[in-house]
Amino acid sequence: MKREISLLQATSINMIDMVGIGPFVTLSLVIQLMASNLFIWAWVFGAVTALVDGMIWSELGAAYPLAGGSYNFLKEAYGKKWGPLMSFLFVWQTCLMSSLVVASGAIGFSHYFGYLMPLSHPWERKAVSALVVIVITALLYRNVRTIGKISVFLWAGVIITLAWIIISGLTHRQVAYSPFPEEGQSMFGWSFVWLAGHASVKTIYSYLGYYNVCHLGGEIKNPGRNIPRSIFISICCITCLYLLMNWSIVGVIPWKEAMNSDFVISLFMEKIYGPQTARVATLLILWIAFASLFAVILGYSRVPYAAAADGNFFPIFARLHPKKDFPYVSLLFVAGLGLCFSLMLRLGSAIDAILAMRVLVQFVAQAIGVVLLRRRNGTRNLPFRMWLYPAPVILSVAIWLFVWISTGWLAALLGLLLAGCGIAVFYGVRNSWKGSA
């Protein structure tokens, strides 16, 4: 694959992946879980998690700019003995997890679509979810140069929509709001920490995607500089946008009312401008959801391809389109399984399952992997070195383990079960892959 994605395009892909439908459907969920004006601190915690973990992704992504991202990081970090297993487990869980991400985005899309056109029957929402996945797959069925241009176009719509929401809220404030403790509240007790941790499962989901550029590492121009830059630019910009958006909304709609709204952004715009403008705003939110799904399917479709091309996954995923040079089998698999999940799952359960599956095999293992690589190879030849090492690694592992516990026992057990099945498959059929590679 060719290196044709610029810094602007890489940042655009990251940002449209991060925003998506997440902040619009999780905003009310976060307030419900916190049940107080302190809900905005869950968004701050999510931003800190993204920034700390972004340092790890930046160092690894700049050092190993290849298609597949974490697949290559884990393979290199854990060496010949454990590297193949760890990288395989990442691909194994990614095949399922990426499709859950697609499903959650499609479900959220149909959720907000209900504001424009009431969907009285469950099958109607499912039909909308399925249709949006099919359309995006058709758009992605082309070469990466065209996709980069489409990404910038979609990203422009994301920025315009968020800017409109923020400016509208800041210029039409109707409700006094403070993010600081009121009388009888405290931010230093275990109850606040537990509530914030549980709510942060939802906010972290809304920040996920800052690393999408690493999955496209083999297609990024000047990756040693552009991968870290795109990650940090994405995190900083999205953090500012999320915090300002939350502040704007609860300045118009009281937080106690916002937490019970199914279409909080639409209600927000309706209060300021009326129902017609609220419908326009809802259309723009659907644009954002569409753009995010576009970036998600694009990035994750490269992961099974990279592993199969390396002889560490089912060989069929290594196939490239004969004329357009993209991994079409991997693309169709991720999108197709995501379509199936969108017909079966609810949004809340999908979000918990996504994080529970990823924490141990990807985020925690990757953070430990940075330490192993530094001890083995040193830091002299690293294009980017994380700041304040090893503090970001220690903090990242602690945060991700806390998040894993906060997903609940059922989701955490599902993640462990999936990893166990992956180990069995790896040792059962890996020799046949080597023979087919």
Side-chain angles (χ1 to χ4, degrees), residues 34-41 177-182 185 255:
M34 293 291 289
S36 77
N37 62 302
L38 302 178
F39 72 91
I40 203 166
W41 291 100
Y177 170 75
S178 170
F180 300 106
E182 299 174 349
Q185 293 179 321
W255 65 264

Side-chain angles (χ1 to χ4, degrees), residues 107-381:
I107 294 168
F109 184 98
S110 66
H111 179 87
Y112 254 88
F113 189 83
Y115 181 83
L116 298 176
M117 183 182 297
L119 304 175
S120 55
H121 298 287
W123 69 265
E124 293 176 331
R125 286 192 174 188
K126 300 301 183 184
V128 171
S129 299
L131 181 61
V132 71
V133 174
I134 292 170
V135 171
I136 290 171
T137 304
L139 281 176
L140 285 169
Y141 211 80
R142 61 198 71 238
N143 65 53
V144 73
R145 181 182 299 175
T146 305
I147 288 172
K149 294 176 181 177
I150 294 174
S151 299
V152 174
F153 176 68
L154 293 174
W155 169 77
V158 171
I159 297 301
I160 290 170
T161 304
L162 290 175
W164 185 26
I165 292 170
I166 291 168
I167 293 171
S168 296
L170 294 178
T171 56
H172 294 81
R173 295 188 67 80
Q174 303 172 17
V175 180
Y177 170 75
S178 170
F180 300 106
E182 299 174 349
E183 186 175 351
Q185 293 179 321
S186 174
M187 294 176 60
F188 301 101
W190 282 111
S191 60
F192 172 80
V193 172
W194 178 251
L195 285 173
H198 195 51
S200 294
V201 172
K202 307 301 190 251
T203 62
I204 290 171
Y205 163 78
S206 297
Y207 283 101
L208 293 180
Y210 49 87
Y211 44 75
N212 198 6
V213 65
C214 293
H215 299 318
L216 304 168
E219 299 162 89
I220 305 297
K221 295 178 181 177
N222 193 9
R225 292 170 61 88
N226 287 341
I227 286 179
R229 287 181 177 183
S230 65
I231 289 174
F232 290 119
I233 291 172
S234 301
I235 293 172
C236 292
C237 290
I238 293 301
T239 297
C240 293
L241 291 171
Y242 281 178
L243 295 178
L244 286 171
M245 185 178 73
N246 275 267
W247 189 288
S248 298
I249 290 168
V250 294
V252 174
I253 305 173
W255 65 264
K256 291 183 180 180
E257 182 181 347
M259 72 178 184
N260 296 315
S261 174
D262 289 333
F263 315 103
V264 64
I265 304 298
S266 302
L267 176 62
F268 165 80
M269 285 297 193
E270 189 174 314
K271 280 203 169 190
I272 295 175
Y273 300 112
Q276 292 302 319
T277 303
R279 294 175 70 85
V280 174
T282 304
L283 282 172
L284 290 174
I285 291 170
L286 294 177
W287 173 293
I288 292 176
F290 186 92
S292 177
L293 278 171
F294 180 91
V296 164
I297 298 175
L298 168 64
Y300 282 120
S301 66
R302 269 54 178 176
V303 176
Y305 158 77
D310 197 37
N312 204 28
F313 204 60
F314 299 98
I316 191 173
F317 287 95
R319 294 182 182 178
L320 289 174
H321 193 279
K323 295 182 179 179
K324 300 178 181 179
D325 292 327
F326 69 94
Y328 71 101
V329 174
S330 186
L331 170 67
L332 293 175
F333 176 84
V334 170
L337 190 58
L339 188 152
C340 295
F341 283 145
S342 72
L343 301 178
M344 296 186 296
L345 298 177
R346 293 183 298 108
L347 183 63
S349 57
I351 292 174
D352 289 342
I354 288 166
L355 279 174
M357 288 180 186
R358 303 179 72 171
V359 165
L360 297 182
V361 173
Q362 185 175 15
F363 296 121
V364 172
Q366 201 163 269
I368 295 171
V370 170
V371 178
L372 298 176
L373 285 168
R374 280 182 169 234
R375 287 182 176 179
R376 186 188 312 142
N377 303 330
T379 61
R380 179 175 297 180
N381 296 321

